[in-house]
Amino acid sequence: MDSRSFAIESFTRRFGKAPAYIAVGPGRVNTLGEHVDYNDGFVLPAAIDRATWLAFSPSNDGQTTLLAADFNEEVIFTDAGIAGKFAIDGSPLAEWARYPAGMAWALNLDGHETPAMHGAFSSNIPRGSGLSSSASIEMVFSVAWSALGGWELPAIKRAVLGQKAENQYVGVSCGIMDQFACACGVEDRLLLLDCRSLEWQLLPIPEDIAIVIADTGVRRKLTTSGYNERRQACEDAVKILAEDLPGIKALRDVNVEDFNRLAHRLPGLVEKRARHVVEEIERSQRAIPLLQAGHIAEFGQIMNDCHRSLRDLYEVSVDELNIMSEIAQSLPGCMGARLTGAGFGGCTVNLVQMDAVDEFAAQLALGYESKAKRKAEIYICRASDGASIVSG
Ligand code: GLA
């Protein structure tokens, strides 16, 4: 059964009637601009057609009862328990429940009501695969509470509040990219976000190009120290570089030329991390006009460069991601292939000529399985709209 039907069926079974509303919150894939959102850089993600579905109705008893249908677990909380992360019986909120509760917490702090609901949700975004299953939950609940509360907020503002929930409530120091893409996605378009000004625009995806996601099957947890260590290295680099470049606030403010001149001042590991970021921001700026002009082969080359940099400088790749990208890059019709998201496992993103895509997917799965001794999951996906109410 698909996730939408499963959410609806689980709701109906649990609450004894059909849900008043159905909402969808997509996952996301990033094509370029990796590990630059928390350095005020530019990112080029898209929302995808894998999503979290939420079936819900207002509840009249002041209690929010949520059923995570995929693991058949339930929590009940009230406004009073949200700040302390308590369920109604005083026990700590289950980890999965902290995403919806955190979203409510951030919305409340910003002055928006989150009326109690009955809800059941289900997702076909593999967890821990770098496709933003958690941001999809935050964003689907943000639109649900907007519907129940009778208020409206621009999608980018809901994204900012989702990031706040994840940073301060769940305790993961992510940047803005995931919530942005899950909130602001547009069908058949890439998104371009300036992570400093939060201005964004749409970029075309040529009609004859498919976005293919290849899952290595290796799972990661973003709360692990690797992500935070890299964020710290970027901050350390800014502090040291600011001695020569007064006024810089983030690595976004350092161009490649200045960086090369001053790189010797940085400790070895800090230099590698910062070099990835400075060059990745330069790469993404070079890539934007290429996409606008439909030069997808050149754009793909930049994606391949990005993978190398994530592998050798930022060191967030793993063998399986390298194997998957290398095989993909050697196959006919593949314009570019690289790891997507935070790394440390998860998926690659590939841009592939539409007429080669079936053969590409088959060969990639075969090649990966024989070399990595693991099963690959390949999704041919479509850029999709951001989180929304689809019925009700
Ligand atoms: C994770 C984070 C994002 C971003 C990426 C790396 O997905 O949630 O904010 O930093 O890693 O680009």
Side-chain angles (χ1 to χ4, degrees):
M1 186 184 298
D2 64 46
S3 300
R4 176 185 174 141
S5 309
F6 190 48
I8 297 171
E9 196 206 80
S10 303
F11 181 99
T12 309
R13 214 179 326 115
R14 169 62 182 83
F15 298 105
K17 54 181 171 184
Y21 301 89
I22 297 156
V24 63
R28 70 96 188 89
V29 69
N30 188 24
T31 64
L32 202 68
E34 212 64 270
H35 286 282
V36 300
D37 58 351
Y38 51 85
N39 292 293
D40 283 358
F42 302 88
V43 293
L44 287 93
I48 57 173
D49 53 353
R50 295 216 145 216
T52 301
W53 294 87
L54 169 64
F56 67 103
S57 293
S59 89
N60 298 318
D61 54 8
Q63 298 179 4
T64 287
T65 303
L66 297 181
L67 173 64
D70 298 331
F71 8 95
N72 199 21
E73 279 184 28
E74 182 172 302
V75 295
I76 305 179
F77 58 81
T78 61
D79 279 354
I82 286 182
K85 300 178 200 168
F86 294 122
I88 196 159
D89 61 3
S91 63
L93 277 181
E95 210 180 308
W96 62 263
R98 297 185 180 201
Y99 296 96
M103 195 64 236
W105 170 83
L107 287 166
N108 293 160
L109 278 184
D110 203 56
H112 313 288
E113 273 183 50
T114 54
M117 71 162 81
H118 290 158
F121 68 96
S122 169
S123 179
N124 61 4
I125 309 168
R127 277 177 292 282
S129 66
L131 301 177
S132 295
S133 57
S134 38
S136 81
I137 298 175
E138 289 151 6
M139 289 305 104
V140 80
F141 275 92
S142 77
V143 293
W145 270 308
S146 160
L148 292 183
W151 45 262
E152 276 187 31
L153 275 181
I156 186 77
K157 178 78 191 192
R158 284 188 288 100
V160 168
L161 293 175
Q163 184 202 8
K164 179 173 178 178
E166 185 127 357
N167 290 169
Q168 297 179 27
Y169 194 91
V170 180
V172 177
S173 14
C174 61
I176 184 68
M177 173 171 74
D178 304 348
Q179 289 79 11
F180 159 72
C182 299
C184 299
V186 173
E187 200 178 356
D188 292 333
R189 293 284 181 277
L190 286 183
L191 313 171
L192 164 63
L193 175 70
D194 176 337
C195 298
R196 171 167 280 170
S197 68
L198 298 186
E199 277 166 19
W200 60 283
Q201 54 173 290
L202 304 178
L203 292 173
I205 305 172
E207 265 170 30
D208 59 344
I209 292 294
I211 301 177
V212 180
I213 293 176
D215 189 345
T216 61
V218 180
R219 292 290 168 260
R220 54 132 188 110
K221 232 178 162 264
L222 203 54
T223 34
T224 48
S225 52
Y227 187 86
N228 293 341
E229 277 165 23
R230 280 157 186 79
R231 283 195 74 143
Q232 187 58 49
C234 295
E235 284 171 29
D236 293 347
V238 171
K239 264 194 215 121
I240 300 170
L241 293 171
E243 291 166 14
D244 291 277
L245 302 169
I248 62 166
K249 294 206 162 48
L251 287 175
R252 149 84 172 264
D253 301 314
V254 183
N255 63 39
V256 175
E257 207 175 82
D258 283 342
F259 185 81
N260 286 336
R261 185 166 53 81
L262 299 168
H264 65 279
R265 304 227 170 177
L266 302 175
L269 207 54
V270 172
E271 193 224 312
K272 276 170 101 175
R273 306 299 188 241
R275 180 176 295 283
H276 163 75
V277 172
V278 169
E279 292 180 353
E280 179 75 351
I281 292 175
E282 187 272 334
R283 272 192 289 273
S284 50
Q285 282 175 306
R286 227 176 338 117
I288 296 162
L290 291 174
L291 264 182
Q292 280 161 334
H295 297 320
I296 208 76
E298 287 93 328
F299 180 78
Q301 285 303 318
I302 298 181
M303 290 173 67
N304 296 347
D305 293 343
C306 168
H307 183 81
R308 267 192 293 280
S309 178
L310 290 167
R311 183 191 64 195
D312 300 339
L313 296 176
Y314 222 59
E315 296 180 292
V316 291
S317 194
V318 295
D319 289 346
E320 289 84 352
L321 285 166
N322 296 334
I323 292 172
M324 193 75 95
S325 306
E326 276 156 33
I327 297 172
Q329 287 171 14
S330 74
L331 291 173
C334 179
M335 303 283 108
R338 66 172 199 84
L339 78 85
T340 188
F344 309 105
C347 296
T348 63
V349 58
N350 309 265
L351 296 187
V352 183
Q353 269 164 353
M354 210 59 101
D355 54 8
V357 78
D358 291 337
E359 189 59 17
F360 171 85
Q363 291 304 325
L364 184 56
L366 268 180
Y368 178 75
E369 282 162 28
S370 88
K371 218 167 171 190
K373 308 278 176 271
R374 271 177 174 274
K375 226 182 123 32
E377 292 285 347
I378 316 281
Y379 316 125
I380 299 168
C381 44
R382 211 165 158 194
S384 300
D385 286 335
S388 66
I389 302 287
V390 293
S391 135

